[in-house]
Amino acid sequence: MLIAFKSKSSPEVLMYQEHAQRILDLLHKNPTRGVITAEEAARALSVLEHEVAESKLHPESDVEHDIHSHEKEDGETVEHAVMQRVGFAARAFPLLEMLRSAKQENESIIWGV
C-alpha cells in the first residue's frame, strides 16, 4: 500500500507503507491517516535526522531492517537482497526535505485523506 504525503510547501512524496512505517513509528503517527502540523515539523525533523545519523553509525541494523521489508524475487539470495537494499537515510530523504520545507513555510503535512 502506498502512502501519499502532501503539503502545500512541496511536491507530494509517495512511500510504500512498510517503508514509511519506521518513520511514522518514530513520530508516533498512524500510517492510515495523519498530520504533522507546522508546529510539530521542527521536532519531527530533529527526530528523523537523529535516526538517520544513528542508521549511518550502525549500518548492520539498517541492513537487517531493510532485508525484511524487501520482497525477494524467486531464487534471490540474501546476499543479493543485501546488495539491492536501500538504506533508511535514502528512504527518509524525500520526507526530510518535505519537513524542512513545511517548517520553513509554516505548513502542515497530511496523508491518508
Side-chain angles (χ1 to χ4, degrees), residues 38-101:
E39 294 77 27
E40 295 174 315
R43 183 190 160 284
L45 191 56
S46 175
V47 167
L48 288 182
E49 286 174 338
H50 175 74
E51 187 69 10
V52 164
E54 284 295 312
S55 74
K56 289 179 179 180
L57 289 174
H58 306 287
E60 64 282 350
S61 64
D62 195 34
V63 168
E64 191 63 30
H65 182 273
D66 196 59
I67 288 172
H68 293 300
S69 65
H70 172 75
E71 286 191 30
K72 291 187 353 181
E73 296 178 17
D74 290 337
E76 185 178 27
T77 65
V78 172
E79 292 79 20
H80 186 260
V82 169
M83 291 178 3
Q84 297 299 315
R85 78 173 188 86
V86 176
F88 179 73
R91 291 202 194 281
F93 182 79
L95 195 55
L96 280 168
E97 288 296 299
M98 181 179 264
L99 279 166
R100 288 182 185 110
S101 178

Side-chain angles (χ1 to χ4, degrees), residues 7-21:
S7 177
K8 291 181 181 179
S9 66
S10 61
E12 182 176 271
V13 172
L14 293 173
M15 295 179 82
Y16 284 111
Q17 183 174 341
E18 59 267 19
H19 299 147
Q21 188 68 53

